[in-house]
Amino acid sequence: MRAEVAVHTPASLGEGPTWDPVTGRLIWVDILGSRVHTYEPATGRRTVMATEQHVGAAKPRAAGGLVVNLRDGIGRYDADGAYSWLLRDPVPGRRGNDAAVAPDGSLWAGTMRYDEAAGGGALTRVTPDGTAQTIFPSVAVSNGIGWSPDGTLAYYIDSPTRRIDVCRMEGQLPVDRRPLAIIEPGAGFPDGLTVDADGCVWVALWDGGRLRRYTPRGALDRTLPLPVSRPTACCFGGPGLRDLYVTTARTGLSRPHPLAGSVLVVPDAGQGLPGVAFAG
């Protein structure tokens, strides 16, 4: 397998790739650029939408439009572009980061402090009516979130811990959190993740320049080197959910690779899982 360039662009902090099967397009964000991007592989068409705040994630809504994890809370864009707050919760020095839609249609949204201070962020479950429930308090850099194919397990990353954690789902909430795998020093920090149809977890290694795939038992069974040092997240998309898309970053690099910030793609990398749209 070899990574190719899907979208050549100098995003500062590209993140959160999500495949929208309804529109046949990839959605991702440039967090520090306050932009939501889309890309249609079938046509090459791209769009860019500016947001009023730093945007950690953007996910499709069942009603059309997008739900976004912003600096000051959770917002909604309707299909016609109209904006409204779903949950406004501003905290000085804090912003939204990675997010994911759970099998039940709720949004699990992470936060972090700009200075990445320990305990400054959290992972929160937000329902379509805007009700918020803290899942994990006191995290540093809330990142990758995903579920097993049958929905019985949840995966989560707080990047500075170097762990990919796994939890058992009890109803709509995770319990019994424990490490599935630990990234060794010098290999980078775990960032965004996706789960494939085999139940394996793909994780992007920030400052590690590669993707790794771990089995449901936590064994490393595949490594994919990349041309950039800061991959941030990945997801399956394209025809049959066979292509693996990877967002990347150039922020903080004195001499970034020419492809840093671009979206990469690994054709026919495996078999992805169908996504769920936010129910609100």
Side-chain angles (χ1 to χ4, degrees), residues 181-223:
I182 298 175
I183 309 301
E184 69 275 16
F189 292 86
D191 200 326
L193 65 80
T194 194
V195 182
D196 65 22
D198 294 326
C200 294
V201 179
W202 293 79
V203 59
L205 296 183
W206 174 277
D207 281 341
R210 64 196 64 234
L211 300 179
R212 285 182 175 180
R213 188 177 90 150
Y214 289 89
T215 71
R217 293 179 176 269
L220 174 62
D221 78 337
R222 196 172 301 176
T223 299

Side-chain angles (χ1 to χ4, degrees), residues 6 12 14 17 19 51 57 74 110 118 127 132 144 156 160-161 200 214 216 274:
S12 178
W19 182 255
T51 56
I74 308 301
T127 58
Y156 178 67
T161 67
C200 294
Y214 289 89

Side-chain angles (χ1 to χ4, degrees), residues 52-53 68 70 73-78 80-86:
E52 294 296 322
Q53 300 181 353
V68 288
L70 298 173
I74 308 301
R76 293 178 296 191
Y77 286 97
D78 294 337
D80 62 3
Y83 178 81
S84 62
W85 284 104
L86 177 64

